[in-house]
Amino acid sequence: MAALLDHAVRTLFGHDHSVDAWRNLVHPGETVSLKVNTLGGRGISTNVQLVAAICERLQQASVKPADITIWDRDSVELERAGFHVAIGGDRVQCYGTDRVGYEQELSAYGSVGSLLSKILTQRSNVLINVPVLKDHDGAGVTIALKNMYGVINNPNKYHPNGCNPYVADLNMLPEIRSRMRLTICDATTALYEGGPAYKPEHSWSANTLIVSQDPVALDHTGWQIIERKRAEKGLKTLEAEERAPGYIATAADAEHRLGTNDPKKISLIEV
Amino acid sequence: MFCNLDVEGAMKDPHPLDRRSFLKCALASGAALGITNAAQHAAATTTGEDDSRFVVEAKFYQKLQNRKVKCKLCPRECTVGDKERGYCGVRENRGGTYYTLVHSRVAAAHVDPVEKKPLFHYLPGTNAFSLGTAGCNVNCKFCQNWDISQSRPEQVPAQYAPPQRIAELAKQHSCPTIAFTYSEPVVFSEYLMDAADAGHEAGIRSIVVSNGFIQEDALKTAYGKMDAVKIDLKSFSESYYRQVVTGQLKPVLDTLVNLRKMGKWTEIVYLTVPALNDSDQEFRGLAQWIKANLGEDVPLHFTQFHPEYLLKNLPITPVPTLERAKAIADAEGLHYVYIGNVPGHPAQNTYCPKCRKMLVERVGFTAGQMLIEKNRCPSCQQPIAGIWHA
């Protein structure tokens, strides 16, 4: 897993040594948080070994262990996914927002008005998004942009209309946008149908990491991977099922400009 | 903000709190009321183990293929995948079975005058043991209690209060009524039903303060247990419901008509928001619809908006706007049109529609004099609609 991560990061940033790439991304004294996705339990959550490898590289890039936080919405879900909750001391921190709560003041953009996790606002100079690659019955797919639903108090309010424009609006919140530096999508195991909960009959070992600083390009690329798998399995496209992830195009539009979904502008380097 | 923690003190406090502060006080008061020894801190107060006390299978849903469910509680009809929650945030699909997470999970509790609901034609001068849980099935941009209504249950401090305990507390505090209120009782219908049953067994009535955004079957089953209902009719326009409320008008109007058919005493509150739902045309359309579909005796309260939540850019509703609304509704022939959230305004009082004698005088949230006798005006014997006597 570490070798795969190193290869991806070196290639993305054009460095011979992966630690050099990480040193360009984070700096000593910064607090770094890794927003994982643990809704799917052991079956399909962010890979623990991948997260361990990221933490190791961050420390090699001179980030103190206690300045690193692995987190999601809920501590119990983190444990169910294989993470060990750790709070305090000099070690890498790992816990859910349930342990610290949400800010009291609303953050709002467009259709979104939410309270943000204190882990984001108080423990993260730098946010590294570490989602998984999944089909989603409402949104079409859930990859990088939608993983931010785990940052707020009221994600249930933002599922109508295939989560569009809510996903894009949420990622526009300055507290999220200003901290987001990198997305490392764990597609070692992925889900092409029946998500977001784990469905073993619809998962496959994609054995892939997708790494980008453009979450829109990453989501577009991940969506296409899921569509290819669906076609291979004889399933309809998400569009044919009337659940294409329209929020990706919204995130790329002139109002949001969170990245690009234009395949001509996406440099896809497969290693 | 000073908050009284004892019930007596809180009731005597002459300084009205804004609603958000009130809710914070209300929760603290809940502890004082002895519901449980809940911790009072900002983060979640319940652990996974504790949570099981609040989890009960939902009553209004349909199982679908692939462990999905369709909620049949409100007109939104959320289709919810495994491990996901509905729009309300308080109902969760666990392996193809749908659960409410807020049964007996009280996020706010207080002893309130019934006039505070407001219900003006229901046992004036009495108190209601009032409670609410987290969650709501709409997302009004002006919500005054968004910190509990727009939160998931595990995100707000809560106390375990099973139905029998609510009935006991109501009795203990001499409340003839339990009021389901504060957030949106539609989303805690199972708890409401059980608590209403427990109350009725103890001789305590039940009322609900609701947005009325509920399916007909659920309405009949759940609100069928209520003795009176207050519906927040947010507007008389579908576009407003869509843009400001994230709901729909038509199902709410259907609810009002069904409540009428069910014989439930119903009052309507219309929060009047400057520039958004305050046109003469809308006031007139509303009044005409009420008269035609519900009758002229349904009380209508035009209440003052205060900027909050996602609508902080608008001013407080000018009193003349409320007076214009009342004048239009009066002219359309409604018998009981009130102005709310404006302390001391004469349109808080109840007058006989025939001889105009003041029958109930209200000061703040308390009823001063109450002259109605045997449901009639003592002066001209005009019947006065309502539930006036226990």
Side-chain angles (χ1 to χ4, degrees), chain A residues 35-218:
Chain A
K35 169 63 179 73
V36 297
N37 187 303
T38 56
L39 180 72
R42 289 270 187 180
I44 188 158
S45 292
T46 306
N47 186 294
V48 175
Q49 284 74 38
L50 170 64
V51 173
I54 298 170
C55 290
E56 191 177 329
R57 293 294 175 266
L58 287 169
Q59 290 172 67
Q60 288 169 344
S62 301
V63 179
K64 291 177 186 170
D67 285 341
I68 301 170
T69 306
I70 302 159
W71 66 291
D72 201 354
R73 188 175 60 186
D74 186 76
S75 301
V76 173
E77 287 182 353
L78 279 163
E79 288 186 322
R80 283 186 189 142
F83 293 93
H84 296 290
V85 169
I87 304 173
D90 294 333
R91 57 198 167 162
V92 172
Q93 308 292 294
C94 178
Y95 51 87
T97 300
D98 59 302
R99 296 299 180 97
V100 291
Y102 294 86
E103 294 290 346
Q104 293 202 335
E105 293 302 316
L106 277 170
S107 296
Y109 181 90
S111 61
V112 165
S114 295
L115 302 178
L116 292 166
S117 168
K118 287 181 180 173
I119 301 175
L120 175 75
T121 55
Q122 299 181 16
R123 289 281 308 170
S124 317
N125 298 135
V126 176
L127 177 62
I128 298 177
N129 190 9
V130 199
V132 287
L133 180 66
K134 294 197 291 188
D135 170 87
H136 190 286
D137 57 5
V141 297
T142 171
I143 314 173
L145 293 166
K146 192 174 174 301
N147 196 34
M148 291 302 103
Y149 273 35
V151 170
I152 54 174
N153 69 318
N154 57 348
N156 44 290
K157 296 298 181 195
Y158 307 136
H159 280 85
N161 195 41
C163 302
N164 188 20
Y166 306 105
V167 172
D169 286 351
L170 173 62
N171 279 270
M172 288 295 284
L173 294 179
E175 296 89 341
I176 293 176
R177 196 173 188 183
S178 66
R179 288 170 169 84
M180 185 70 74
R181 295 224 186 136
L182 182 66
T183 301
I184 302 171
C185 174
D186 168 20
T188 50
T189 299
L191 194 64
Y192 59 86
E193 168 74 358
Y198 179 52
K199 301 284 192 318
E201 66 273 28
H202 297 311
S203 68
W204 88 104
S205 296
N207 294 318
T208 300
L209 294 184
I210 313 169
V211 183
S212 179
Q213 289 189 291
D214 179 337
V216 183
L218 192 150

Side-chain angles (χ1 to χ4, degrees), chain A residues 218-237:
Chain A
L218 192 150
D219 272 11
H220 180 80
T221 304
W223 171 23
Q224 300 314 310
I225 291 171
I226 286 175
E227 290 286 23
R228 283 196 291 275
K229 194 67 183 178
R230 292 178 63 83
E232 185 187 314
K233 294 289 182 182
L235 294 171
K236 289 181 186 173
T237 63

Side-chain angles (χ1 to χ4, degrees), chain B residues 267-314:
Chain B
E267 301 190 22
I268 297 171
V269 164
Y270 185 97
L271 182 73
T272 311
V273 184
L276 295 185
N277 67 356
D278 64 347
S279 71
D280 286 3
Q281 186 185 2
E282 196 164 353
F283 293 147
R284 190 166 293 109
L286 168 71
Q288 288 172 346
W289 185 89
I290 290 173
K291 188 177 179 185
N293 292 277
L294 309 177
E296 59 205 8
D297 283 337
V298 173
L300 172 61
H301 305 248
F302 289 105
T303 57
Q304 189 176 50
F305 158 86
H306 291 256
E308 182 58 270
Y309 190 36
L310 299 171
L311 269 189
K312 288 185 174 172
N313 58 329
L314 294 175

